[in-house]
């Protein structure tokens, strides 16, 4: 099993110059390298924000969206999706902000007709946004959908495509958008031109994240007792192999190190929140799971392929600001530092 160069919820980018459409090189912008730290924010105050870390100098710049746009982000930050020269900041409080990743200046937004957006994918000139939809009286989400927006810089929602409950990650391939239907254990395939679901793959575990390698799409999924990796043949859009690793209480948080290994957060949840960072190494049909760090409040994980270090975010129970702990690949603590409220993800350039 070969899994490489994926960082949680985002693509890894390693460049010294950014390229324009003309092929000319241009100097990097203020935020074009380093690590972006996604701080979800606190429910009720909606104070999600992004920090920028220079891992070489350890300089940490807080609240860069507000600093560059002279207004607060004003939402709970759920995901960061880098697509070319645009960075999409998805807020599960009902909007998507679009910025230039070089300077974090606003390019546009999707600010209406969304309910609880989770992630985003680009196909052609369209945005596809997974959304739980509104809660019903029993806090269910029977009206989940994928929203369609015509325009890479945002605008209005032109259509809502009905999908299974609680869609999470999206993956764009060819003329298709592939949807992780987490609550009903489904992979749903949307024709991006027709804007309708054309195929469904049923799973035995809850899909959380995607990773593509060649013509194979790896699906990271979990049950209460196992971590499961499915493969999807992208040419035929059919299921291939299944790899199951016994590991209880795995969360959706995963990071790949680019060398056949991955790091997963586990948590027993309320009320104890006994959490751990677990390394999984899969070679052929053999898998090993090694616990690297235990604690409470682990909320996000990422991997810096430049330094071969693991970044673990801790929400500290949302009692004030969170912290980030940097680990070596063997689990030794390198350093820790304070970040924003509810740190939950990383994007490494």
């Amino acid at each position: 099993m070969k899994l490489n160069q994926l960082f949680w919820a985002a693509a890894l980018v390693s460049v010294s110059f950014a390229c324009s459409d003309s092929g000319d090189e241009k100097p990097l912008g203020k935020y074009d390298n380093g690590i972006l730290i996604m701080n979800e924010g606190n429910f009720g105050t909606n104070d999600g924000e992004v920090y920028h870390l220079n891992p070489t100098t350890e300089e940490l710049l807080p609240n860069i969206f507000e600093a560059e746009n002279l207004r607060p982000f004003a939402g709970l930050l759920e995901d960061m999706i880098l697509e070319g020269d645009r960075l999409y900041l998805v807020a599960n409080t009902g909007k998507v902000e679009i910025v230039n990743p070089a300077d974090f200046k606003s390019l546009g937004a999707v600010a209406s007709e969304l309910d609880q957006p989770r992630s985003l994918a680009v196909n052609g000139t369209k945005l596809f946004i997974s959304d739980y939809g509104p809660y019903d009286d029993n806090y269910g989400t029977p009206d989940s959908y994928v929203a369609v927006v015509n325009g890479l810089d945002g605008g209005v929602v032109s259509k809502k495509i009905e999908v299974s409950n609680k869609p999470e990650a999206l993956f764009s391939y060819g003329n298709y958008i592939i949807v992780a239907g987490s609550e009903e254990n489904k992979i749903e395939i949307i024709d991006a031109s027709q804007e309708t679901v054309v195929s469904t793959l049923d799973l035995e575990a809850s899909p959380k994240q995607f990773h593509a390698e060649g013509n194979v799409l790896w699906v990271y999924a979990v049950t209460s007792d196992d971590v499961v990796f499915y493969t999807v043949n992208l040419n035929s859009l059919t299921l291939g192999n299944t790899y199951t690793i016994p590991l209880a209480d795995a969360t959706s948080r995963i990071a790949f190190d680019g060398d056949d290994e991955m790091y997963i957060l586990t948590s027993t949840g309320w009320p104890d929140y006994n959490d751990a960072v677990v390394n999984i190494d899969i070679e052929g049909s053999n898998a090993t799971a090694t616990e690297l760090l235990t604690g409470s409040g682990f909320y996000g994980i990422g991997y810096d392929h430049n330094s071969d270090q693991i970044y673990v975010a801790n929400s500290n129970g949302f009692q004030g600001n969170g912290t980030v702990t940097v680990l070596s690949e063997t689990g030794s603590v390198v350093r820790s530092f304070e970040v924003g409220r509810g740190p939950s993800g990383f994007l490494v350039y």
Side-chain angles (χ1 to χ4, degrees), residues 12 142 216 233 257 294:
L12 287 175
V216 175
N233 187 313
D257 78 347
T294 60

Side-chain angles (χ1 to χ4, degrees), residues 3-324:
L3 298 174
N4 56 25
Q5 292 189 330
L6 177 105
F7 198 49
W8 175 79
L12 287 175
V13 181
S14 181
V15 294
S16 59
F17 284 87
C19 294
S20 67
D21 292 338
S22 66
D24 296 330
E25 291 181 338
K26 60 183 180 180
L28 287 172
K30 185 176 182 180
Y31 306 111
D32 261 336
N33 58 13
I35 300 175
L36 297 181
I37 301 170
M38 182 173 74
N39 301 285
E40 181 179 302
N42 192 46
F43 181 77
T45 53
N46 293 351
D47 53 354
E49 252 294 356
V50 180
Y51 282 28
H52 179 272
L53 172 69
N54 182 325
T56 302
T57 65
E58 299 185 3
E59 180 185 19
L60 185 67
L61 300 177
N63 304 330
I64 62 175
F65 180 90
E66 182 171 7
E68 299 298 341
N69 296 288
L70 304 180
R71 59 182 174 90
F73 179 75
L76 296 179
L77 193 50
E78 181 66 32
D79 206 352
M80 298 189 298
I81 303 296
L82 179 65
E83 285 282 352
D85 56 359
R86 294 171 176 84
L87 179 67
Y88 297 89
L89 306 176
V90 181
N92 65 21
T93 37
K95 68 172 181 175
V96 175
E97 293 275 4
I98 305 157
V99 300
N100 180 339
D103 59 16
F104 248 69
K105 300 294 186 183
S106 177
L107 298 173
V110 183
S112 63
E113 300 182 74
L114 297 174
D115 293 283
Q116 300 181 76
R118 305 293 294 178
S119 194
L120 178 149
V122 173
N123 191 286
T125 60
K126 296 179 182 179
L127 306 181
F128 291 81
I129 305 165
S130 56
D131 198 306
Y132 279 7
Y135 284 122
D136 63 15
D137 292 340
N138 298 313
Y139 294 99
T141 57
D143 298 317
S144 295
Y145 57 87
V146 171
V148 183
V149 176
N150 291 297
L152 299 182
D153 291 332
V156 300
V157 173
S158 61
K159 185 174 181 178
K160 294 181 178 180
I161 305 167
E162 181 180 350
V163 294
S164 62
N165 291 351
K166 293 185 172 57
E168 294 285 355
L170 302 175
F171 181 77
S172 179
Y173 177 77
N175 195 47
Y176 298 101
I177 295 292
I178 301 174
V179 185
S182 68
E183 188 167 270
E184 298 181 49
N185 297 354
K186 296 179 183 296
I187 297 295
E188 289 159 296
I189 300 168
I190 293 173
D191 184 301
S193 298
Q194 298 178 22
E195 299 178 0
T196 186
V197 175
V198 294
S199 180
T200 300
L201 306 175
D202 293 316
L203 309 178
E204 297 297 324
S206 174
K208 303 297 185 182
Q209 302 288 346
F210 295 125
H211 168 59
E213 183 182 344
N215 291 322
V216 175
L217 180 68
W218 291 89
V219 182
Y220 166 61
V222 303
T223 70
S224 59
D225 298 315
D226 298 310
V227 163
V228 183
F229 288 96
Y230 297 94
T231 65
V232 176
N233 187 313
L234 288 172
N235 289 329
S236 61
L237 298 178
T238 56
L239 285 174
N241 298 323
T242 301
Y243 300 81
T244 302
I245 303 100
L247 182 64
D249 303 319
T251 70
S252 63
R253 311 301 198 190
I254 183 172
F256 294 82
D257 78 347
D259 191 24
D260 303 331
E261 295 184 50
M262 64 286 296
Y263 301 90
I264 292 172
L265 294 186
T266 65
S267 179
T268 59
W270 186 88
D272 298 321
Y273 290 101
N274 294 319
D275 304 340
V277 177
V278 178
N279 166 254
I280 294 180
D281 187 0
I282 302 178
E283 287 292 343
S285 59
N286 298 317
T288 58
T290 305
E291 194 173 85
L292 298 182
L293 182 71
T294 60
S296 183
F298 296 166
Y299 204 56
I301 192 164
Y303 188 86
D304 181 359
H305 67 296
N306 298 303
S307 61
D308 294 327
Q309 292 178 331
I310 307 156
Y311 281 67
V312 181
N314 195 311
S315 69
N316 294 329
F318 287 87
Q319 302 302 306
N321 285 339
T323 55
V324 169

